[in-house]
Amino acid sequence: YPAQQDIALLTDEQAQAELRKLSHAVPNGIKTLRRAAKLTQKQLADAAGIDIRNMQRYESGEFDVANMSLSVAVKIADALGVDAKKLL
């Protein structure tokens, strides 16, 4: 993914392409890390303090990751015992 300083240099099409990559990477990252930790969605949701339905939506990609708050990403990462960057 482009460095923060490079984001301003992206065209609209390039920015949209990067967002599409993230929209698949984050749900896949959550699912992969959850399975590696041998947790159910409910267990992860409880550990992260997130409603189970919202956890399901984050993991399935139903929720647009552009709308995921940093605090939610950090809660999920903390519950998984990883840095939030690992969700990517």
Side-chain angles (χ1 to χ4, degrees):
Y1 297 104
Q4 185 173 0
Q5 65 270 19
D6 295 333
I7 291 175
L9 303 175
L10 295 177
T11 66
D12 286 342
E13 294 81 22
Q14 290 170 322
Q16 288 299 319
E18 291 301 321
L19 285 174
R20 279 192 297 277
K21 287 180 193 174
L22 283 175
S23 71
H24 296 291
V26 172
N28 289 337
I30 293 171
K31 180 184 270 185
T32 299
L33 291 167
R34 177 183 61 77
R35 286 180 172 173
K38 299 187 184 329
L39 297 173
T40 65
Q41 287 179 329
K42 173 93 171 92
Q43 289 169 325
L44 178 55
D46 289 347
I50 296 169
D51 179 75
I52 179 60
R53 184 66 186 123
N54 288 341
M55 179 60 69
Q56 292 167 335
R57 289 175 177 144
Y58 289 127
E59 191 173 293
S60 72
E62 186 179 335
F63 275 169
D64 184 355
V65 296
N67 294 324
M68 180 189 276
S69 71
L70 181 58
S71 65
V72 169
V74 168
K75 286 179 184 181
I76 294 170
D78 285 349
L80 290 166
V82 299
D83 187 277
K85 292 177 189 175
K86 289 279 190 180
L87 298 180
L88 298 175

